[in-house]
Amino acid sequence: MSLYLEVKNLSVLYDRAIVLNGLSLHVNSGELVSLVGPNGAGKSTLLNAMSGLIKWQHDTLKGTVSGKITLNGSVKFDGAELINLPAHEIARKGIILCPERGRPFREMTVQENLEVGALFLDKKVADDNLEKVYALFPVLKKRSSQVAGTLSGGERTMLSIGRSLMSEPKILLIDEPSVGLAPLIKDSLFERIRDVQGMGVTILLTEQDVSFAFDLASRNYVISRGKIIAEGTSQELLANELIRETYLGL
Amino acid sequence: MFVSILINGLVSGAVYAILAIGFSLIFGVAKIMNMAHTAFYMLTAFLILGAITFLDVPLPLAAIASIIVAGLLGVVCYKLCFDRIKVHETAVMIISVAIAMLFEETILLTFGAQYQRIPPFVEGYFELGGVSILNQHFFTAGASIATLVGVWLLLSKTKLGMSIRAVDQDREIANVMGINVTKTSMQVMGISVILAGVAGAVTAPTIMVNPLMWTNPLVIVLSAVVLGGLGSIKGSAIAAFILGYAETLVVFLVPDGSFLRGAVSLIAMVLVLLIRPEGLFGVAFEEERL
């Protein structure tokens, strides 16, 4: 296992509000790492920064109030620096974001959504990947010609993971996969994320549901106010009383 | 009369549809409300006129070359103006009006204000149900519909079309799925202006060209976009046909209707905004677009 994805001293400021405050973490190849923490701790911002979205917002909103974004630090993948790359190039290196609530292309069908994921692959490879994704998520196959805007929350999350898998990602950044899902759907999604890891994809996911994250991940980070405050396996973190009571609420 | 209404409505509807689709595309993908859209339509007509009168270029070649030149000019406008200020949507709109005025004044200075004629692509006429219809009208309708089919194929069957639709629906997600949004926006600007150019080229022989000919189609395009639902490409195309036929019906059925022609689309726009502001095919998820 090699050091694969490394975030060092990452800071994000929206105007003068500090969202990420010199955050560092790393993910090894093949690992499933979770990042837990309360609302507003900076989880989504971290994933957005890693996927290039923050830089994109900074560049496109330049000159407006919401464009006053400062982004500092380093995000390295396989030794290459990503922090100054545009989002689409980061994506083509194999680091794909599954945003919160899936955010499918709502007016496209499920199948078209999946095809967007494989836009930059050969047709044959794309077809193979489509079969794999349908095998993993049979519900998507059932809904393949349905417009994505009509999907349920769980289906949207699955579609978003499926769409990412279409591009043969190396690392998936999954933002709050379990948010707003019924327990039964949550369980099935849990298994699917396991399956995705089994396919050799490295995963970094954020969660508010600590038990969901801890059961799934081999290693966890606890984030609060834009900083990592604890790191370890689920057992280690649960054994630490202070962390458990203050940050995990268990 | 029925045949005349059918053909005339089809001709104007198809041309409006091309214009409206181009307008919707660049608005959806790059959030550019391009008031100069129909100015490119006017410009293409005059480029053709210039090419055949000053350079003696044969008409079909002049048409194709003019459409390409207009498209390139569109990309230049995008690079020089829109791209730099695209975050300020109001400024983009004002700049586009300025570009339209620039084109209008330039044409006015070079070609003068008088009405001028461009020869038809095809000569002669055709008898249908006791009415004679100019072959040029068939050509205009045919070329327009072929263009519409082409756009539909581009959007639904090609990778570029898939990227365009993805960017149209969610720029951020398109971006993190590996689509170069800036490049796609520029390509769409080119496509959009080329569509305006095609509309200008196929319409020019059926009307008298003059430097102010862009204003009326602009009103129609805006009405079509409102009627179809802002952001819906399909909606604006269908609305364009509805407006084309509505205009034709008024011209043929209302006494002195040709004076009312320009009012039809304005009335439609006001009515839609009063009764159903989201338009016929208003996107239900509009508020969630990013």
Side-chain angles (χ1 to χ4, degrees):
Chain A
M1 284 229 258
S2 59
L3 197 64
Y4 204 37
L5 186 69
E6 190 186 21
V7 178
K8 244 190 184 159
N9 276 324
L10 190 65
S11 297
V12 174
L13 281 83
Y14 281 104
D15 202 356
R16 268 172 298 174
I18 300 170
V19 185
L20 293 184
N21 187 2
L23 182 146
S24 301
L25 59 76
H26 68 273
V27 182
N28 299 317
S29 178
E31 239 186 338
L32 199 169
V33 174
S34 90
L35 182 70
V36 296
N39 244 341
K43 301 188 296 291
S44 300
T45 305
L46 172 66
L47 296 197
N48 290 346
M50 291 165 83
S51 61
L53 257 189
I54 301 280
K55 179 175 159 48
W56 188 76
Q57 288 167 351
H58 170 266
D59 292 350
T60 35
L61 301 176
K62 216 176 345 191
T64 64
V65 178
S66 38
K68 280 188 186 163
I69 303 171
T70 322
L71 177 64
N72 277 318
S74 142
V75 178
K76 272 192 178 151
F77 169 63
D78 230 0
E81 181 59 61
L82 302 182
I83 196 83
N84 284 317
L85 285 186
H88 65 271
E89 280 181 30
I90 294 179
R92 291 198 208 173
K93 278 184 182 290
I95 301 154
I96 304 283
L97 175 74
C98 300
E100 196 177 335
R101 293 176 198 275
R103 266 168 85 176
F105 299 110
R106 291 155 188 277
E107 292 152 52
M108 289 188 186
T109 64
V110 167
Q111 179 141 345
E112 285 173 335
N113 263 280
L114 294 174
E115 283 166 2
V116 170
L119 219 45
F120 302 99
L121 298 176
D122 285 342
K123 174 100 178 68
K124 214 194 136 325
V125 183
D127 288 345
D128 286 353
N129 291 355
L130 191 64
E131 284 311 309
K132 278 183 213 157
V133 169
Y134 279 156
L136 189 63
F137 300 110
V139 61
L140 294 183
K141 185 165 195 174
K142 219 168 69 192
R143 305 228 184 281
S144 63
S145 56
Q146 195 173 319
V147 175
T150 60
L151 294 182
S152 72
E155 288 162 350
R156 285 181 192 203
T157 308
M158 291 180 195
L159 177 55
S160 143
I161 295 175
R163 183 176 64 187
S164 315
L165 289 177
M166 289 294 288
S167 68
E168 305 190 336
K170 299 197 174 92
I171 298 183
L172 281 193
L173 309 173
I174 312 179
D175 200 1
E176 307 229 1
S178 83
V179 72
L181 299 187
L184 220 61
I185 314 257
K186 239 181 190 176
D187 291 347
S188 128
L189 189 66
F190 185 95
E191 293 305 322
R192 295 295 84 76
I193 293 178
R194 270 266 157 81
D195 293 343
V196 172
Q197 189 198 12
M199 294 158 84
V201 181
T202 306
I203 298 173
L204 173 64
L205 59 82
T206 68
E207 261 306 331
Q208 284 194 55
D209 182 340
V210 175
S211 54
F212 182 93
F214 278 18
D215 287 350
L216 202 53
S218 51
R219 208 155 54 80
N220 312 279
Y221 287 98
V222 183
I223 181 174
S224 176
R225 299 184 179 199
K227 265 194 156 151
I228 298 294
I229 50 160
E231 177 205 344
T233 63
S234 310
Q235 291 84 353
E236 285 167 5
L237 288 176
L238 291 174
N240 183 332
E241 198 121 327
L242 180 74
I243 296 282
R244 203 180 67 196
E245 283 177 5
T246 325
Y247 295 102
L248 307 179
L250 292 174
Chain B
M1 181 126 87
F2 175 71
V3 176
S4 303
I5 293 175
L6 200 71
I7 300 290
N8 281 297
L10 185 69
V11 170
S12 22
V15 171
Y16 296 160
I18 301 181
L19 284 170
I21 286 178
F23 185 90
S24 289
L25 270 176
I26 192 63
F27 176 74
V29 168
K31 303 284 168 282
I32 291 173
M33 183 73 84
N34 185 9
M35 294 300 178
H37 190 65
T38 52
F40 284 102
Y41 153 97
M42 178 271 291
L43 188 72
T44 310
F46 275 95
L47 285 174
I48 296 174
L49 185 68
I52 54 175
T53 45
F54 300 133
L55 303 173
D56 266 337
V57 182
L59 180 61
L61 187 65
I64 292 168
S66 304
I67 292 169
I68 293 170
V69 170
L72 291 175
L73 208 56
V75 175
V76 170
C77 287
Y78 177 82
K79 269 278 167 204
L80 281 183
C81 311
F82 298 137
D83 193 33
R84 289 153 194 267
I85 51 160
K86 62 188 169 205
V87 64
H88 307 286
E89 290 175 17
T90 324
V92 166
M93 203 163 99
I94 293 168
I95 281 276
S96 73
V97 174
I99 291 173
M101 303 305 288
L102 179 73
F103 288 169
E104 184 190 302
E105 294 300 319
T106 312
I107 296 297
L108 205 59
L109 288 174
T110 27
F111 290 86
Q114 71 274 30
Y115 284 65
Q116 301 184 63
R117 191 167 272 292
I118 286 176
F121 286 96
V122 281
E123 302 279 351
Y125 59 89
F126 185 85
E127 293 275 346
L128 191 73
V131 211
S132 53
I133 293 150
L134 288 174
N135 282 341
Q136 174 59 40
H137 277 129
F138 280 110
F139 179 85
T140 305
S144 306
I145 288 165
T147 308
L148 291 176
V149 172
V151 172
W152 178 74
L153 287 176
L154 172 79
L155 289 179
S156 59
K157 305 281 179 212
T158 67
K159 288 192 171 187
L160 174 62
M162 195 73 105
S163 325
I164 291 174
R165 287 161 62 209
V167 177
D168 179 49
Q169 287 175 40
D170 192 330
R171 288 195 287 177
E172 289 189 352
I173 298 305
N175 215 326
V176 294
M177 292 311 298
I179 297 169
N180 186 340
V181 172
T182 319
K183 195 172 128 202
T184 309
S185 301
M186 203 171 79
Q187 287 164 332
V188 169
M189 185 70 195
I191 293 170
S192 159
V193 171
I194 283 175
L195 288 175
V198 170
V202 298
T203 323
T206 67
I207 54 170
M208 303 293 281
V209 300
N210 72 87
L212 284 168
M213 66 187 259
W214 63 281
T215 50
N216 195 40
L218 180 63
V219 173
I220 291 161
V221 165
L222 291 175
S223 320
V225 168
V226 169
L227 177 59
L230 191 60
S232 167
I233 293 164
K234 185 180 81 184
S236 56
I238 293 171
F241 274 99
I242 294 176
L243 290 177
Y245 273 105
E247 267 192 13
T248 313
L249 282 171
V250 167
V251 169
F252 277 88
L253 299 181
V254 179
D256 285 333
S258 41
F259 290 110
L260 292 172
R261 184 176 181 168
V264 173
S265 50
L266 278 176
I267 292 170
M269 175 152 60
V270 172
L271 285 181
V272 172
L273 287 175
L274 283 176
I275 299 164
R276 195 181 153 84
E278 74 272 27
L280 293 177
F281 298 84
V283 183
F285 320 114
E286 185 67 42
E287 72 282 2
E288 294 176 80
R289 275 167 179 257
L290 289 165

